[in-house]
Amino acid sequence: MADEVKLFGVWGSPFSRRVEIALKLKGVNYEFFEEDLSNKSALLLKYNPIYKKVPTLVHNGKAIAESQIILEYIDETWKNSPILPKDPYERAQARFWARFIDEKLMPTLWKVFWGCEDHDKVKEEAKEHLETLENELKDKKFFGGETVGLVDIVGNFIAYWVPRIQEASGLVLLTEEKYPKLYQWSHEFENHGDVKVKLPPNDKLLAYIKSRLEGVSTSK
Amino acid sequence: MSESRDVKVLGVWASPFVMRARIALNLKQVSYDFLQETSFLTEKSELLLKSNPIHKKVPVLIHNEKPICESLVIVEYIDDVWTSAPSIFPCHPHDRAIARFWAAYIDEKWFPSMKGISTAQGKGAKKAAIDQVIEGLVLLEEAFVKSSKGKPFFGGEQIGYLDIALGCFLAWLRVSEKMHGVKLLDQAKTPGLVKWAERFCEDPAVKGVMPETDKLLEFAKILFAKMRANLPK
């Protein structure tokens, strides 16, 4: 039976793009449904009734939600080009760092860029978390070693979105000077053949971010 | 067996997250040293700070001197390492994804709503918090019916990943029921989970690690008093 793979997502969402990157790395064909988040499709609501969010993957009629869970599903279903290591300890480490990015680093970065209370304190936290991730990278090309792995894919926001948010806002945390390894990694990641084609176009994303930031500042 | 030569769990008896690691090891019949943080509320041990420098939290599994942190990551690790014993995860990738989905829901939505009952100020807020927990349990009841397919546990014939993810909170759930005089797990709304809870707590892998409700209730009173004392005025 031919595999039927559908992905409900949005062009500008790092979470949605994570899934696209993983499917591309594995050479899996899929049908993409661009959602209008202000007017969600009946199909999305059917396939993800609990959270009603993107990305949602539907494989042969069965739905999977939450980007990290989708990534694990993709790795377990299509065994070529693995994104998780084989060794149990290394797998646990990959899962740990993927969680760290989503539960600690991304939320603080998000608050810093879009504005929050105790801004200076949150900024310091974000810098600490970036430092932690910098130290974890060590001398590896990717977090996954020689190849793009789970942590790299989950880190897509840092590699691609953060530099553009920094450009649009003028608020700069991630610099080559302070985080040379992360900086280098972000270039390797962005330019990886399978990743490159699955990232949002630079100009379009930059324009979108600028408009969002203007919306935030004028509403204050 | 060589893999079991050096297995330690850093934790505290009252933590549901620590319980997850212990239940998983028990299911695999792996013996381990349980190293308790004795002054957990006030001071963390050097071993904990060294093993989990990022989060400084329990549980930590230390296997052959290597630390693994985050309770659900630990449970997956245990299942990955001790493969000869019954599997904690379902076989099929989609079933695995469903189990992970609900475990994430429990940690990100349901457990915070449980904590919300204790921090709610005023009758109205408290009732709203309780209603939210029950709503979550109703969703989990549906998940149980779908997942178990008529068998005793989310995992089927045996305790699995999702049983562990939810079951670890049962003692705290009972404490909450006693403290606030409510029924959270209720025969009318969540009949499947009521029976499942009894079976879960009776399971040999769980019995020795699930705290007694009264002991936990006393601990909870002290804990909440300390938390209230520390709240900014």
Side-chain angles (χ1 to χ4, degrees), chain A residues 50-51 62-66 69 72-73 76-77 88-89 91-93 95-97 99-100 103-104 132, chain B residues 54-55 66-70 72-73 76-77 80-81 93-94 96-97 100-102 104-105 108-109 139:
Chain A
I50 308 282
Y51 295 124
K62 289 191 176 176
I64 304 102
E66 299 293 280
I69 294 174
E72 295 245 18
Y73 176 83
E76 286 167 5
T77 303
Y89 181 72
R91 289 164 80 81
Q93 293 302 100
R95 287 175 177 135
F96 175 88
W97 288 108
R99 277 165 183 262
F100 174 79
E103 289 167 23
K104 293 270 179 220
T132 300
Chain B
I54 312 273
H55 302 298
K66 290 202 235 178
I68 299 102
C69 309
E70 299 291 278
L72 293 177
V73 175
E76 292 221 35
Y77 174 81
D80 276 346
V81 169
H94 188 254
R96 293 162 75 92
R100 286 191 178 113
F101 174 87
W102 286 112
Y105 170 82
E108 289 162 29
K109 300 276 178 232
L139 281 178

Side-chain angles (χ1 to χ4, degrees), chain B residues 9-10 24 36 59 67 85 111 115 131-132 135-136 151 155 163 167 185 204 226-227:
Chain B
V9 172
L10 287 189
Q36 293 213 60
F111 181 61
K115 287 197 287 188
D131 286 345
Q132 218 190 349
E135 263 172 53
K151 301 218 171 102
D163 300 279
L185 261 189
K226 278 210 166 98
M227 278 164 58

